[in-house]
Amino acid sequence: MRTNIEIVIDQQSWQTSRPQFRKVCPFPQTTMTSAVNFGRAMLWVGMMSVSPRMPQWWAASLWAVYRYFAAVDDKVPELRLHESIEDIDTNPKKVLSDDWGTGVAVEWLDSQFQYQYVGHGRNTMLELKRQGLTAYVGKKKRGPQKCPDFFCIDPAGRYHLIECKGNQSGPVASADQFVQGKQQKANIWFTNEQVVSQRLVTGLAIANPKSKWKTQLAVIDPPPDDVEAVPHVLVQAEEPEKVLTALKQVACLDGLLLAGYFGLARKVLPDSERVKRLPDAPDHPHRTFETARAEWRGQIYTANFPVPIKTFAGEEIAGISVRFGVSPNFLETSAVGPPVWNELDLRIRRGNQSPEFQRRSVIGYGDTFIAEVELL
């Protein structure tokens, strides 16, 4: 499912950052209309919502896909909320805004930068800390708890820090949210700032049928206030291979938890802080399935809609199927111990995104893990 959104780039914000944080604006246009793969956007939300403290929460990976596909207005090509959203109370609306703000933003940025690795900000910082690559400067409450939403690596091996916001009030509200966002993106420093490509804050203003504006994603690089006085986490950038290993371990653990392999997660990453919090739960019964021209083992979830969705293009969506899988080869080789991390390729694979495959959205990590949502 592809939907259109308006993109607004505040190019001036790149020029007002402090010299040590100043980057080159990567976007040549200030405004544009862009298509977003909504299926992948919701997959991103689900994949970043799994807590190891409660293995049952792997079902949280389905939350965004199940809850929000029917929340899209299917009568127009633009992304906006269905009119029935007015029947929902304020708190669920706020959760929707946060989820869409995160998923849509990272999906659009990934389409622009073709990230090789996308890691949940807090989980990435926990792995970097375990490898001795971080040091706190100031109060610890400004550490991982307050770090940006995402820590990404682009094809050039440089880092992107992304903080995402979302609202249903309009573009003006996005500007208000940026006040906090610009602080959060400055909470991570590097011993060599040249390894950082972008420090971005995004704000998704989500329209509904009565809105006088269209859904808009604003992207800025705002300078934080009084940056020298901000407590922060300092990351050692002299060993990029260790930073890369941390991102691989985050992706690996996410993939294993999503597919229900809790026992293997403990064997592959026994010293990980997240694994230490994993209860002594057995592996969830897995299923074997084929997709993306390969065989996988993991979980399959299917939901049929009581009333099919009929899109503006005349297509019908009777339900959705979500799959999370691990390659049999990785399961076999990891049974004897952790992988050799510098030999494991977990770079993101996006699947075939041509128009005839719009009913299927994929996020893969190399040939090892896959997450997929299919419209039935």
Side-chain angles (χ1 to χ4, degrees):
M1 178 186 287
R2 289 182 180 273
T3 53
N4 297 327
I5 61 174
E6 290 188 347
I7 307 295
V8 176
I9 308 296
D10 183 2
Q11 294 178 332
Q12 184 65 28
S13 66
W14 271 261
Q15 302 176 22
T16 56
S17 294
R18 300 291 182 90
Q20 67 267 41
F21 295 111
R22 192 168 298 163
K23 313 298 178 186
V24 176
C25 179
F27 307 107
Q29 297 175 274
T30 57
T31 60
M32 68 189 89
T33 299
S34 184
V36 170
N37 186 324
F38 189 73
R40 289 187 88 241
M42 295 302 99
L43 269 181
W44 283 119
V45 176
M47 291 171 66
M48 301 297 168
S49 301
V50 178
S51 168
R53 298 193 189 197
M54 186 183 292
Q56 294 89 334
W57 278 15
W58 81 73
S61 60
L62 310 174
W63 166 263
V65 175
Y66 277 14
R67 185 174 178 84
Y68 297 138
F69 258 94
V72 177
D73 189 341
D74 50 25
K75 298 182 178 64
V76 294
E78 293 80 22
L79 178 62
R80 72 181 188 188
L81 290 166
H82 192 276
E83 60 185 359
S84 62
I85 202 69
E86 295 182 356
D87 300 334
I88 299 177
D89 291 336
T90 300
N91 286 339
K93 286 183 179 180
K94 289 181 179 179
V95 175
L96 183 150
S97 296
D98 290 340
D99 286 343
W100 283 32
T102 299
V104 171
V106 74
E107 169 59 19
W108 185 78
L109 290 171
D110 180 55
S111 72
Q112 302 300 301
F113 292 107
Q114 300 290 292
Y115 292 130
Q116 293 191 343
Y117 292 89
V118 174
H120 183 282
R122 173 174 170 76
N123 294 339
T124 301
M125 296 310 297
L126 285 172
E127 290 302 324
L128 291 173
K129 177 183 178 182
R130 184 171 68 88
Q131 297 198 31
L133 296 178
T134 63
Y136 290 100
V137 179
K139 298 179 181 178
K140 283 193 175 183
K141 68 179 181 180
R142 293 285 185 174
Q145 301 94 319
K146 299 295 183 179
C147 67
D149 290 319
F150 296 101
F151 187 119
C152 309
I153 299 181
D154 65 21
R158 300 180 71 194
Y159 309 139
H160 293 232
L161 303 178
I162 308 168
E163 175 65 25
C164 306
K165 304 295 182 182
N167 71 82
Q168 297 172 40
S169 301
V172 174
S174 294
D176 294 337
Q177 291 178 309
F178 287 158
V179 174
Q180 180 184 12
K182 68 181 183 179
Q183 184 64 66
Q184 289 170 296
K185 83 181 184 87
N187 281 345
I188 299 178
W189 292 18
F190 293 81
T191 52
N192 177 11
E193 183 65 19
Q194 296 304 310
V195 302
V196 181
S197 175
Q198 299 294 324
R199 293 174 176 269
L200 304 175
V201 179
T202 64
L204 182 71
I206 309 165
N208 62 58
K210 294 183 179 180
S211 300
K212 296 181 179 179
W213 41 272
K214 295 182 178 180
T215 296
Q216 178 189 107
L217 179 67
V219 184
I220 65 172
D221 177 24
D225 296 326
D226 194 18
V227 68
E228 286 80 5
V230 175
H232 58 273
V233 177
L234 183 65
V235 179
Q236 300 294 326
E238 287 73 23
E239 297 181 274
E241 68 281 356
K242 288 188 176 182
V243 178
L244 179 58
T245 294
L247 266 294
K248 289 181 178 182
Q249 291 173 343
V250 169
C252 183
L253 185 52
D254 287 344
L256 290 172
L257 293 179
L258 287 164
Y261 284 96
F262 310 122
L264 187 58
R266 284 188 287 268
K267 181 177 291 186
V268 170
L269 290 164
D271 298 324
S272 169
E273 289 299 320
R274 286 200 290 163
V275 168
K276 291 178 181 178
R277 302 174 184 180
L278 183 65
D280 187 18
D283 288 349
H284 191 66
H286 68 267
R287 297 172 62 182
T288 299
F289 60 92
E290 292 186 6
T291 190
R293 301 179 181 179
E295 181 180 289
W296 307 88
R297 295 174 188 168
Q299 306 301 316
I300 302 176
Y301 307 93
T302 301
N304 296 312
F305 298 150
V307 178
I309 297 173
K310 294 184 178 180
T311 72
F312 68 93
E315 296 182 343
E316 188 173 280
I317 304 174
I320 48 179
S321 179
V322 185
R323 307 178 187 95
F324 299 104
V326 184
S327 72
N329 180 64
F330 182 81
L331 293 174
E332 180 180 348
T333 58
S334 299
V336 297
V340 180
W341 294 106
N342 61 1
E343 297 179 359
L344 184 62
D345 183 3
L346 294 180
R347 287 175 294 179
I348 292 173
R349 295 193 176 184
R350 295 160 182 83
N352 193 328
Q353 302 297 324
S354 60
E356 61 267 28
F357 286 91
Q358 288 187 15
R359 297 182 69 90
R360 180 174 294 174
S361 302
V362 174
I363 299 174
Y365 287 102
D367 295 323
T368 305
F369 301 104
I370 194 168
E372 178 184 71
V373 57
E374 181 181 8
L375 307 182
L376 304 178

